[in-house]
Amino acid sequence: MKNPRKLKLVVVGTMLLLALHYPIISFFSFEKLVFGIPQLFFYLFSLWVVLIIVIIKLTTDIKHSNLDREDE
Amino acid sequence: MSEWMVLVIAVIYLLALFFIAFQSEKYFARFSNNGFVYALSLMVYCTAWTFYGSVGYASTDGINFLAIYTGPLITIPFWWLVLRKMVRVTKTMRISSIADFISIRYGKNGRLGTLVAVACFVGIIPYIALQLKAIDNSVSIISEQISFDSSVFIVILLTVFAILFGARNVDANQRKPGLISAIAFESLVKLFAFLSVGVFVVYGLFNGWFDLFSQAAEKLDMNQLSTLSGDGDFADWFFISLVSAIAFLLLPRQFQVGSVEAGKEEHILTAMRVAPIYLLLINLFVVPIAFAGLILSPDSNSDFQVLSLPLLSGNGLLAMFVFLGGFSAATSMILVSTTALSTMMSNYVFIPLILKSKKEEAAERTDYHNILLFWRRISIVIIMLLAFSYFKFLTSKESLVSIGIISFIAVAQLAPAFFGGLYWKRANNKAATAAIISGLSIWFLFLVLPNIALELSDIFHNALFEAPNNIVTAFTEHMGLSRTSASIIMSLMANVLLYVYFSLATNQSAKEVNQAELFVDIYKYSKSYDSSVAWRGTAYFPDIKSLLNQFIGKDRTDTVLDRYARRHGIDWDANPKVDARVISYAERVLTGIIGPSSARIMVSNVVEEEEIGLNDVLNILQESQEALRLNRELQLKSQQLAKATEKLTSANAKLQEFSDLKNEFLYTVTHELRTPITSIRAMAELLEDHAEMPNEERAQFVGNIIYEAERMTKLISNVLDLEKFESGNQQLERAALDLKILIKEEVQALNPLIGNRNIEVKTEINSHLEPVFADEERIRQVITNLLSNAVKYCDQNEGLILITAYCQDDYVKVNVSNNGSGIKQEDISNIFDKFYQVKHQSVKKPTGHGLGLAICKNIIEMHKGKIGVELAYGMVRFSFSLPVYRK
């Protein structure tokens, strides 16, 4: 993939896929509270917030680039 | 609250929706054509199933429900690649449903399109029924007594809405701003309703998150509810998130809002930001509400805890708002789904029938416009009726979630054919058909059959269904998976295997090769689409025109064809024979209205088509790309040429300017030289003619001659100096230079020049003046020049010269002011020009030549400094600044 911005998106998506499924998710799936919140619940929603921040950064980069070049 | 009251509020809400839809139909561009509305409309994904069902799901299985949202979440980073490609294909080919999409990709195959439409139908009708069930249940929970069946009223209103805004335009590919704005609004309503009930439960019924979770830890089975424990859980988590990810992009309603109704491709970027935030917010309170429900009222129907919790604590107003939230979630899903399904139904069922049954009169008819709209509306009514009857007779026992998942799995069967078609050129029609049929069969066997079996009487049940059902059960037990996971893995595996096998084992038709190429490389072809469609034959303009006339009416036909002719520079009257591009264009226009396969048939009816081979297709594709490339190169060349011309012109203008300047300069210099020469000659002649002249007089003449000769020498050396600077031949010998000393020396040297005139010289030099990096001789020249000018032009009776020097930023600034009136405001801009002063002196003829300041300017600019003049406080102030010396 020649376009580095698209490559970053693919990498983020793949990492998210791995982080959200077995086996990684099983490391967080225990019956205990972290900061008073069930551990898995805490893990999933923190990951979610991280994704939101990363996506905002990446989409801003794309918006500021030349959109016509995105076709190639 | 009585049921009547609830119904009235629901009706008022729907009327508000009508209002929003009407308003944005009017103000389309301002209202619905932006990324935020697009993002919100995508959230039609969150239906009543999300709104009510998630809590029910979480009450039994805990956090597992979240897989339905983490699936779409994982797809979000890929939207800029995949969703954007889907939008580009959809827009380029005027696709109006997912059935069109798959049918066009595999050679505009009508049968395949119908198969996709059927898959959507069997998958989605129960899902719509589910929404009706959710509305009905929520009405009965919020009402105190049930006196009549309100669901009929609501179904009728929704049907009217769908007809008004979903089947508004005969061109199904045209965007529907009213519908989309209403959906976006509903997305906001359901989000706020859910957030308010969440906040109410966590902070109103409990003392915040920690209180709630610590109580839950004591009273509930947290192992079941807050973890994914067994192997089966992880498998369910994975497979449900997989089908949810597919469903987010391919469910008919999602395809409708995500691809068909998409505006600009940039809107996808906004959606990528908004969607994860929205999904986070709407899921944040699901687990807390479920836990609260289990703690506070474990006996209520867990699917409707969102509604019962506010009611139990007597908060009727909040309950009403929550009811509206659920209502909006359900209605938005119903509206978009019926719109999407009705397009498919009319394109793949009714239109082929009409066109076939009335073939003889088809050519003469011109009112297809109305017929098409009529049948699309009929389709909406039929879909609503089917969903309503399904809701009445079948869904009594199932929870909200199970029906939803079953729908998702049905739609997931389209994924291999869809995404394969988008990225793999070898994939063909037979493969897609086999894949979808196999996947759907397994889906039916695993998930539908057991449910039907439950509803039928024992005899039928035993004879027809028990045996296969037992086999399925044994099968899933053997794999150690839930029935859901097993059916997903089995159906998708068969689906993908057959798809790959048939694609590799069978050949594509020429038409399919053409379409495969166009889909997979859409970014390459979307700009030259019409000339990339392989077609050969003979067709005439009047035929094409009358064909379009039949379907889109005379006015639009004229507009559409005129626009096309203008863009491509075609004169229909001169040459009535049309080429492949026009055919493709006409077919594209028709595709938006009657679907791809019918459009294909209609066009081939009016033109004489020739069989086209595989090689021809490849040639045509290559040619179109070649033409595009040549065109682009040509454009590039002409741009370069234009740039070169521009450069040449400006260079020429500069040359002209220089030549003018040179002429003027030469003229002035010779003029300046002639004046002293004339007087020298005159005086020399006088001396020659008058030998008897007294000695004193003679001495005076000789003195004048010497003075004039000096003036000339000075002028010539000035001119030479100036030439050196301007040609860039002058070298500077720069070193650290203390201006303080230099200025003092020069002021000392001023005394003989002042003589006995009444001139006061004041100097104010900052004692911490930093050294500058400069050529001492040259700077001395500048200061001398400025000072002697000051002496020359200051007031003749009470002269005052003020010299100041100080540091400013990274520069040392030197000002030389005098109180004369030698310069007027209008002279300021020209004073540094060569010979300027000389021509404009009103006082007596000066001794200079007007070259001094021009030389000063050159010297200072060579030092990267600045020089200027201004009138301030009744004084003329010349100033220059030089950069500070840095080691």
PDB file of all heavy atoms in Angstrom, chain B residues 158-173:
ATOM      1  N   LEU B 158     -46.582   4.936   9.967  1.00  0.00           N
ATOM      2  CA  LEU B 158     -45.230   4.682   9.453  1.00  0.00           C
ATOM      3  C   LEU B 158     -45.264   4.386   7.962  1.00  0.00           C
ATOM      4  O   LEU B 158     -44.382   4.805   7.211  1.00  0.00           O
ATOM      5  CB  LEU B 158     -44.581   3.516  10.204  1.00  0.00           C
ATOM      6  CG  LEU B 158     -44.125   3.835  11.620  1.00  0.00           C
ATOM      7  CD1 LEU B 158     -43.587   2.600  12.302  1.00  0.00           C
ATOM      8  CD2 LEU B 158     -43.056   4.913  11.592  1.00  0.00           C
ATOM      9  N   THR B 159     -46.299   3.658   7.527  1.00  0.00           N
ATOM     10  CA  THR B 159     -46.427   3.366   6.099  1.00  0.00           C
ATOM     11  C   THR B 159     -46.570   4.661   5.310  1.00  0.00           C
ATOM     12  O   THR B 159     -45.914   4.850   4.277  1.00  0.00           O
ATOM     13  CB  THR B 159     -47.652   2.461   5.853  1.00  0.00           C
ATOM     14  OG1 THR B 159     -47.592   1.386   6.778  1.00  0.00           O
ATOM     15  CG2 THR B 159     -47.665   1.934   4.443  1.00  0.00           C
ATOM     16  N   VAL B 160     -47.411   5.557   5.821  1.00  0.00           N
ATOM     17  CA  VAL B 160     -47.605   6.836   5.132  1.00  0.00           C
ATOM     18  C   VAL B 160     -46.283   7.585   5.046  1.00  0.00           C
ATOM     19  O   VAL B 160     -45.903   8.118   3.993  1.00  0.00           O
ATOM     20  CB  VAL B 160     -48.662   7.685   5.870  1.00  0.00           C
ATOM     21  CG1 VAL B 160     -48.725   9.088   5.275  1.00  0.00           C
ATOM     22  CG2 VAL B 160     -50.018   7.011   5.799  1.00  0.00           C
ATOM     23  N   PHE B 161     -45.563   7.593   6.170  1.00  0.00           N
ATOM     24  CA  PHE B 161     -44.288   8.305   6.195  1.00  0.00           C
ATOM     25  C   PHE B 161     -43.321   7.718   5.175  1.00  0.00           C
ATOM     26  O   PHE B 161     -42.694   8.442   4.389  1.00  0.00           O
ATOM     27  CB  PHE B 161     -43.675   8.207   7.595  1.00  0.00           C
ATOM     28  CG  PHE B 161     -42.528   9.140   7.813  1.00  0.00           C
ATOM     29  CD1 PHE B 161     -42.710  10.332   8.482  1.00  0.00           C
ATOM     30  CD2 PHE B 161     -41.264   8.825   7.347  1.00  0.00           C
ATOM     31  CE1 PHE B 161     -41.654  11.199   8.684  1.00  0.00           C
ATOM     32  CE2 PHE B 161     -40.202   9.694   7.540  1.00  0.00           C
ATOM     33  CZ  PHE B 161     -40.404  10.879   8.211  1.00  0.00           C
ATOM     34  N   ALA B 162     -43.202   6.389   5.179  1.00  0.00           N
ATOM     35  CA  ALA B 162     -42.272   5.731   4.255  1.00  0.00           C
ATOM     36  C   ALA B 162     -42.648   6.026   2.809  1.00  0.00           C
ATOM     37  O   ALA B 162     -41.790   6.257   1.959  1.00  0.00           O
ATOM     38  CB  ALA B 162     -42.254   4.232   4.509  1.00  0.00           C
ATOM     39  N   ILE B 163     -43.950   6.048   2.515  1.00  0.00           N
ATOM     40  CA  ILE B 163     -44.381   6.327   1.143  1.00  0.00           C
ATOM     41  C   ILE B 163     -44.041   7.768   0.767  1.00  0.00           C
ATOM     42  O   ILE B 163     -43.532   8.045  -0.320  1.00  0.00           O
ATOM     43  CB  ILE B 163     -45.897   6.063   1.006  1.00  0.00           C
ATOM     44  CG1 ILE B 163     -46.147   4.555   0.985  1.00  0.00           C
ATOM     45  CG2 ILE B 163     -46.454   6.709  -0.259  1.00  0.00           C
ATOM     46  CD1 ILE B 163     -47.592   4.180   0.989  1.00  0.00           C
ATOM     47  N   LEU B 164     -44.288   8.683   1.713  1.00  0.00           N
ATOM     48  CA  LEU B 164     -44.069  10.100   1.404  1.00  0.00           C
ATOM     49  C   LEU B 164     -42.594  10.422   1.197  1.00  0.00           C
ATOM     50  O   LEU B 164     -42.230  11.164   0.298  1.00  0.00           O
ATOM     51  CB  LEU B 164     -44.597  10.961   2.543  1.00  0.00           C
ATOM     52  CG  LEU B 164     -46.071  11.349   2.443  1.00  0.00           C
ATOM     53  CD1 LEU B 164     -46.444  12.228   3.620  1.00  0.00           C
ATOM     54  CD2 LEU B 164     -46.327  12.083   1.133  1.00  0.00           C
ATOM     55  N   PHE B 165     -41.746   9.866   2.067  1.00  0.00           N
ATOM     56  CA  PHE B 165     -40.354  10.299   2.009  1.00  0.00           C
ATOM     57  C   PHE B 165     -39.403   9.245   1.460  1.00  0.00           C
ATOM     58  O   PHE B 165     -38.310   9.560   1.025  1.00  0.00           O
ATOM     59  CB  PHE B 165     -39.884  10.749   3.396  1.00  0.00           C
ATOM     60  CG  PHE B 165     -40.612  11.969   3.847  1.00  0.00           C
ATOM     61  CD1 PHE B 165     -41.671  11.873   4.726  1.00  0.00           C
ATOM     62  CD2 PHE B 165     -40.263  13.212   3.348  1.00  0.00           C
ATOM     63  CE1 PHE B 165     -42.355  13.004   5.125  1.00  0.00           C
ATOM     64  CE2 PHE B 165     -40.946  14.339   3.743  1.00  0.00           C
ATOM     65  CZ  PHE B 165     -41.995  14.233   4.638  1.00  0.00           C
ATOM     66  N   GLY B 166     -39.802   7.983   1.485  1.00  0.00           N
ATOM     67  CA  GLY B 166     -38.918   6.935   0.989  1.00  0.00           C
ATOM     68  C   GLY B 166     -39.126   6.674  -0.486  1.00  0.00           C
ATOM     69  O   GLY B 166     -38.199   6.310  -1.191  1.00  0.00           O
ATOM     70  N   ALA B 167     -40.340   6.833  -0.969  1.00  0.00           N
ATOM     71  CA  ALA B 167     -40.616   6.573  -2.387  1.00  0.00           C
ATOM     72  C   ALA B 167     -41.081   7.870  -3.029  1.00  0.00           C
ATOM     73  O   ALA B 167     -42.153   7.968  -3.592  1.00  0.00           O
ATOM     74  CB  ALA B 167     -41.675   5.488  -2.541  1.00  0.00           C
ATOM     75  N   ARG B 168     -40.231   8.887  -2.895  1.00  0.00           N
ATOM     76  CA  ARG B 168     -40.622  10.217  -3.324  1.00  0.00           C
ATOM     77  C   ARG B 168     -40.287  10.431  -4.789  1.00  0.00           C
ATOM     78  O   ARG B 168     -41.048  11.004  -5.550  1.00  0.00           O
ATOM     79  CB  ARG B 168     -39.857  11.229  -2.478  1.00  0.00           C
ATOM     80  CG  ARG B 168     -40.344  12.635  -2.612  1.00  0.00           C
ATOM     81  CD  ARG B 168     -39.678  13.491  -1.551  1.00  0.00           C
ATOM     82  NE  ARG B 168     -40.222  14.818  -1.538  1.00  0.00           N
ATOM     83  CZ  ARG B 168     -41.389  15.118  -1.008  1.00  0.00           C
ATOM     84  NH1 ARG B 168     -42.120  14.187  -0.460  1.00  0.00           N
ATOM     85  NH2 ARG B 168     -41.841  16.357  -1.033  1.00  0.00           N
ATOM     86  N   ASN B 169     -39.100   9.975  -5.163  1.00  0.00           N
ATOM     87  CA  ASN B 169     -38.607  10.245  -6.500  1.00  0.00           C
ATOM     88  C   ASN B 169     -38.524   8.931  -7.260  1.00  0.00           C
ATOM     89  O   ASN B 169     -38.187   7.898  -6.689  1.00  0.00           O
ATOM     90  CB  ASN B 169     -37.210  10.859  -6.382  1.00  0.00           C
ATOM     91  CG  ASN B 169     -36.785  11.523  -7.661  1.00  0.00           C
ATOM     92  OD1 ASN B 169     -36.911  10.932  -8.731  1.00  0.00           O
ATOM     93  ND2 ASN B 169     -36.305  12.740  -7.560  1.00  0.00           N
ATOM     94  N   VAL B 170     -38.804   8.984  -8.535  1.00  0.00           N
ATOM     95  CA  VAL B 170     -38.781   7.757  -9.323  1.00  0.00           C
ATOM     96  C   VAL B 170     -37.348   7.231  -9.435  1.00  0.00           C
ATOM     97  O   VAL B 170     -37.115   6.040  -9.540  1.00  0.00           O
ATOM     98  CB  VAL B 170     -39.419   7.988 -10.709  1.00  0.00           C
ATOM     99  CG1 VAL B 170     -38.570   8.934 -11.534  1.00  0.00           C
ATOM    100  CG2 VAL B 170     -39.595   6.676 -11.444  1.00  0.00           C
ATOM    101  N   ASP B 171     -36.378   8.123  -9.355  1.00  0.00           N
ATOM    102  CA  ASP B 171     -34.989   7.701  -9.415  1.00  0.00           C
ATOM    103  C   ASP B 171     -34.541   7.274  -8.019  1.00  0.00           C
ATOM    104  O   ASP B 171     -34.275   8.091  -7.159  1.00  0.00           O
ATOM    105  CB  ASP B 171     -34.123   8.850  -9.926  1.00  0.00           C
ATOM    106  CG  ASP B 171     -32.702   8.389 -10.211  1.00  0.00           C
ATOM    107  OD1 ASP B 171     -32.370   7.261  -9.808  1.00  0.00           O
ATOM    108  OD2 ASP B 171     -31.954   9.146 -10.837  1.00  0.00           O
ATOM    109  N   ALA B 172     -34.447   5.961  -7.805  1.00  0.00           N
ATOM    110  CA  ALA B 172     -34.168   5.458  -6.458  1.00  0.00           C
ATOM    111  C   ALA B 172     -32.763   5.810  -5.998  1.00  0.00           C
ATOM    112  O   ALA B 172     -32.460   5.762  -4.819  1.00  0.00           O
ATOM    113  CB  ALA B 172     -34.350   3.944  -6.413  1.00  0.00           C
ATOM    114  N   ASN B 173     -31.899   6.143  -6.966  1.00  0.00           N
ATOM    115  CA  ASN B 173     -30.533   6.509  -6.588  1.00  0.00           C
ATOM    116  C   ASN B 173     -30.448   7.959  -6.101  1.00  0.00           C
ATOM    117  O   ASN B 173     -29.486   8.357  -5.463  1.00  0.00           O
ATOM    118  CB  ASN B 173     -29.609   6.309  -7.798  1.00  0.00           C
ATOM    119  CG  ASN B 173     -28.172   6.644  -7.463  1.00  0.00           C
ATOM    120  OD1 ASN B 173     -27.667   7.683  -7.848  1.00  0.00           O
ATOM    121  ND2 ASN B 173     -27.541   5.775  -6.713  1.00  0.00           N
TER     122      ASN B 173
END
